[in-house]
Amino acid sequence: MSEPNFPSPEELQKKLSDFMKTQFGNHVSVSTQVSAAPEEAGGPGSAVGTGDEVFEFRHLPRDIKAHLDRYVIRQDDAKRVLAIAVCDHYNNVNYMRKLEREDEKKARETEYTKQNVILLGPTGVGKTYLVKHIAELVGVPFVKADATKFSETGYVGGDVEDLVRELVQGANGDVEMAQYGIIYIDEVDKIASSASTMGRDVSGRGVQTALLKLMEETEVPLRAPNDIQGQLQAAMEFQRTGGKPKRQTINTRHVLFLVSGAFEKIRGVIERRVRQGTIGFAAPPDGQQGGEMLEHVTTADFVEYGLEPEFIGRLPVRVVCRELSVEDLFEILQRSEGSIVRQYERAFRAYGIEVFFEEAGLKRIAELAAVEKTGARGLLTVCERLLRSFKYELPGSGANRFTVDVGLIEDPEKRLAELLEQGQRALAEELAAVAREFAQRLASRHNLKVELTQGAIAKLVERAVAENIHMRDLCAEVFKDYEFGLKLAEGTTEPLILTEEAVGNPDRYLSEWLVKRYRADRRTGEEQMASKSVDLCGDSPAR
Ligand SMILES: Nc1ncnc2c1ncn2[C@@H]1O[C@H](COP(=O)(O)OP(=O)(O)OP(=O)(O)O)[C@@H](O)[C@H]1O
Ligand SMILES: [Mg+2]
């Protein structure tokens, strides 16, 4: 067999560059990065592509629920339904992979209807949070996207197939692993088609149709058609491996799809159906509201809302997440392992500040968050508003602990002012101690007594704070000539009292003190001399 007549990578790059230039001018450039194909990166013996070592699902629904309970408060129904759907899905994956190894034909013929899931519920109540933690536990790659970012053609917005390729990235290039990933698409209520007046039209119907294929089973090319660099790499690999066929697509048969949306206005649809006496699969009794009403949603309601029957039909598992009450919000703060309380504690600790949240304070935060009507997201909104200025003002202020209690929540500004004042005092005390220590050292080096007056200390503290420098450096700077000057006065018993004036004009203060010392010493010397001569005079007659 003759080798295909293929250009070298350099020729190929040049050709492509020329082509791009003629098409787009100098705005586009082509660069090549020759990297090992993912399959090769693992090397021989790596688990990639060989089957069983890659991924084995071994969880029970109750294990999954228990794991979710650590992070997600309430939403028990949602946890259960999701846990079952995920277990079913991955147990089937296990089964199919085994079958594929043992009897490929039978594997191809075996049917399985995927249990893709639709999650409904208001904003911020844990939909995304649930899915994220499930993917983490199961250990499969997980991709999340908003339905609104896609467009039908993939031209203006993203291409839905990019999601599948992102799974490969999420699996560090492991295509086999990517095929068992979870794709989570948020805001599907926004792709309801324009036939309905409910949803916003983003050529929603087209996006729904594009998703249909993925949700069922399709082969997605590993490289997007518009990914020039990827195509180039593929071509080079082709040449390097002598044109050996290599897996270039990802199959979506085992990818689990979860979609979610707030579906705010679907309640109106359900209510209307109920009012009109259309007995649905389970018509809700009168007087039900909010989340409870959502639980009675039927396929017909989704279709009326603007979802295509084929689309909603491929989402057989329905999960409703409930609104969170004040108590739930309190519990999220208190008990969830992902609580923002931990986040705030960490953030303040990074500045050496300990923050304590009192139970009553947490209750009050939960109450305020409930008013926001954004679910658990409201907690962060409230805490941010409350503690923003604490995060800005306290670091470096000398304050090293505070408590979030009802008092702080009622009047955060007052508390902040108190903390800053306390902090200032503590800081001043610390700085004063450093200044005294400096004086002490100066004294012991020159065998003298050196003292700082209160006025001098206050002045030094004021400068250290204003100029934002370390007290030790400030003292060294202010008294830099004292090291030499005091050599002239070593051993003097008279203490050197450093006053506010000494800080203001240290050199003059020192020289005046030295002159004074010198005169005093001379006087003493003269007196001594004089007394000695008196002694001598007195003595002489006796001699
Ligand atoms: N039930 C809950 N238990 C614990 N934390 C929660 C819960 N619900 C939400 N949170 C917290 O709030 C954040 C936002 O929640 P999440 O992203 O799951 O909202 P969502 O339901 O997906 O809302 P949206 O419809 O706006 O996307 C989470 O990251 C989590 O910290
Ligand atoms: Mg979400």
Side-chain angles (χ1 to χ4, degrees):
M1 280 242 302
S2 66
E3 284 278 302
N5 189 13
F6 214 77
S8 73
E10 291 74 27
E11 285 167 344
L12 197 58
Q13 185 176 2
K14 183 167 181 319
K15 277 186 181 169
L16 254 158
S17 294
D18 292 345
F19 169 74
M20 298 299 274
K21 222 173 248 166
T22 52
Q23 293 290 310
F24 306 106
N26 284 329
H27 304 296
V28 179
S29 71
V30 178
S31 70
T32 56
Q33 267 178 325
V34 183
S35 62
E39 287 88 336
E40 288 167 358
S46 90
V48 181
T50 56
D52 31 84
E53 311 89 329
V54 177
F55 160 70
E56 187 81 45
F57 182 79
R58 288 192 205 92
H59 296 282
L60 301 177
R62 68 180 68 232
D63 297 340
I64 295 190
K65 162 122 181 357
H67 177 77
L68 293 175
D69 283 341
R70 288 170 50 193
Y71 302 92
V72 186
I73 304 302
R74 295 291 299 263
Q75 316 302 8
D76 283 1
D77 293 344
K79 285 177 194 163
R80 257 172 237 236
V81 179
L82 273 173
I84 296 168
V86 166
C87 285
D88 277 358
H89 179 78
Y90 286 108
N91 284 335
N92 180 63
V93 165
N94 278 353
Y95 172 75
M96 291 304 285
R97 283 156 40 109
K98 196 157 160 271
L99 202 60
E100 273 162 18
R101 283 198 299 279
E102 288 164 5
D103 185 349
E104 215 170 305
K105 184 163 171 288
K106 194 168 169 217
R108 267 199 307 277
E109 285 163 2
T110 306
E111 299 212 355
Y112 176 74
T113 313
K114 246 198 282 182
Q115 305 203 30
N116 296 322
V117 182
I118 180 162
L119 288 109
L120 295 97
T123 184
V125 297
K127 299 187 294 296
T128 308
Y129 202 45
L130 279 165
V131 178
K132 179 177 150 252
H133 280 293
I134 287 190
E136 250 171 44
L137 177 71
V138 178
V140 291
F142 168 63
V143 168
K144 175 184 174 289
D146 280 348
T148 47
K149 88 171 194 192
F150 300 111
S151 67
E152 194 173 347
T153 52
Y155 195 72
V156 185
D159 185 335
V160 288
E161 290 192 348
D162 287 341
L163 287 176
V164 182
R165 285 186 278 270
E166 271 174 47
L167 275 181
V168 182
Q169 279 168 26
N172 292 327
D174 183 342
V175 180
E176 167 95 0
M177 195 65 200
Q179 297 189 104
Y180 307 114
I182 293 179
I183 291 183
Y184 176 57
I185 306 169
D186 214 348
E187 302 208 52
V188 282
D189 48 341
K190 308 268 166 52
I191 55 164
S193 67
S194 56
S196 150
T197 49
M198 307 286 177
R200 185 161 63 90
D201 185 32
V202 280
S203 61
R205 184 190 294 240
V207 180
Q208 290 183 48
T209 317
L211 284 171
L212 281 184
K213 264 198 322 177
L214 289 190
M215 292 205 284
E216 202 119 282
E217 176 176 1
T218 190
E219 295 282 338
V220 173
L222 257 178
R223 326 257 183 207
N226 57 358
D227 170 12
I228 303 281
Q229 186 164 328
Q231 295 291 349
L232 189 62
Q233 262 181 34
M236 288 196 293
E237 261 161 44
F238 179 79
Q239 189 198 24
R240 211 176 34 205
T241 55
K244 260 186 269 148
K246 189 170 281 177
R247 187 74 164 284
Q248 296 296 336
T249 57
I250 318 146
N251 187 298
T252 61
R253 180 149 62 128
H254 295 311
V255 173
L256 181 62
F257 284 84
L258 305 166
V259 307
S260 77
F263 288 94
E264 275 300 324
K265 292 179 180 146
I266 211 164
R267 288 192 193 129
V269 178
I270 305 170
E271 270 163 14
R272 211 171 322 134
R273 168 168 58 79
V274 173
R275 256 203 316 277
Q276 285 166 356
T278 319
I279 308 300
F281 170 61
D286 277 352
Q288 284 199 352
Q289 286 203 343
E292 287 171 54
M293 183 61 94
L294 275 183
E295 274 159 37
H296 302 282
V297 70
T298 63
T299 301
D301 296 330
F302 282 119
V303 174
E304 194 182 332
Y305 184 87
L307 294 184
E308 298 297 307
E310 299 89 336
F311 181 71
I312 196 67
R314 277 165 181 77
L315 297 160
V317 182
R318 286 171 200 165
V319 173
V320 177
C321 287
R322 300 276 191 105
E323 203 110 39
L324 297 166
S325 67
V326 173
E327 286 72 42
D328 299 336
L329 293 173
F330 169 65
E331 226 180 301
I332 288 176
L333 288 173
Q334 182 96 319
R335 215 166 55 71
S336 167
E337 284 185 31
S339 166
I340 55 164
V341 167
R342 307 285 103 72
Q343 194 176 314
Y344 274 95
E345 285 169 352
R346 269 200 311 275
F348 278 104
R349 199 168 296 140
Y351 301 117
I353 301 167
E354 287 296 333
V355 53
F356 301 93
F357 288 84
E358 253 185 21
E359 201 172 301
L362 292 180
K363 282 223 169 86
R364 189 78 195 104
I365 292 173
E367 280 164 15
L368 293 170
V371 179
E372 299 279 320
K373 295 248 172 288
T374 51
R377 289 212 183 87
L379 295 169
L380 193 59
T381 314
V382 170
C383 287
E384 262 316 289
R385 203 167 47 210
L386 207 59
L387 298 178
R388 194 183 298 144
S389 37
F390 287 72
K391 245 187 209 167
Y392 183 78
E393 304 277 356
L394 291 188
S397 71
N400 54 15
R401 54 181 288 146
F402 71 104
T403 304
V404 179
D405 50 21
V406 179
L408 181 146
I409 296 168
E410 297 308 331
D411 194 348
E413 275 158 33
K414 179 164 164 249
R415 176 67 58 83
L416 182 59
E418 286 165 9
L419 284 167
L420 287 175
E421 204 188 299
Q422 279 168 22
Q424 285 300 321
R425 274 204 301 275
L427 190 67
E429 205 34 66
E430 244 171 66
L431 294 176
V434 176
R436 277 191 214 102
E437 192 188 304
F438 179 87
Q440 202 58 47
R441 291 208 180 158
L442 194 65
S444 65
R445 271 200 299 277
H446 297 286
N447 192 22
L448 287 166
K449 271 207 188 102
V450 180
E451 282 169 27
L452 284 161
T453 63
Q454 280 304 329
I457 288 176
K459 185 108 185 152
L460 284 168
V461 168
E462 189 189 312
R463 272 189 63 183
V465 171
E467 294 168 29
N468 192 22
I469 52 175
H470 286 296
M471 179 57 96
R472 209 180 304 275
D473 296 341
L474 176 68
C475 289
E477 162 72 23
V478 170
F479 301 113
K480 63 177 181 298
D481 291 332
Y482 280 45
E483 214 50 75
F484 177 74
L486 289 182
K487 278 197 171 67
L488 306 174
E490 259 164 33
T492 306
T493 49
E494 188 72 19
L496 166 61
I497 312 274
L498 296 171
T499 62
E500 195 176 335
E501 195 194 331
V503 178
N505 201 337
D507 294 350
R508 198 179 68 203
Y509 191 85
L510 177 64
S511 59
E512 282 175 7
W513 185 77
L514 283 172
V515 168
K516 237 189 275 169
R517 288 284 23 94
Y518 175 71
R519 286 202 184 125
D521 284 352
R522 209 172 57 178
R523 221 175 14 250
T524 323
E526 278 169 6
E527 277 165 16
Q528 278 171 357
M529 285 287 282
S531 72
K532 260 190 197 149
S533 60
V534 169
D535 282 354
L536 282 175
C537 296
D539 281 354
S540 59
R543 248 190 249 161

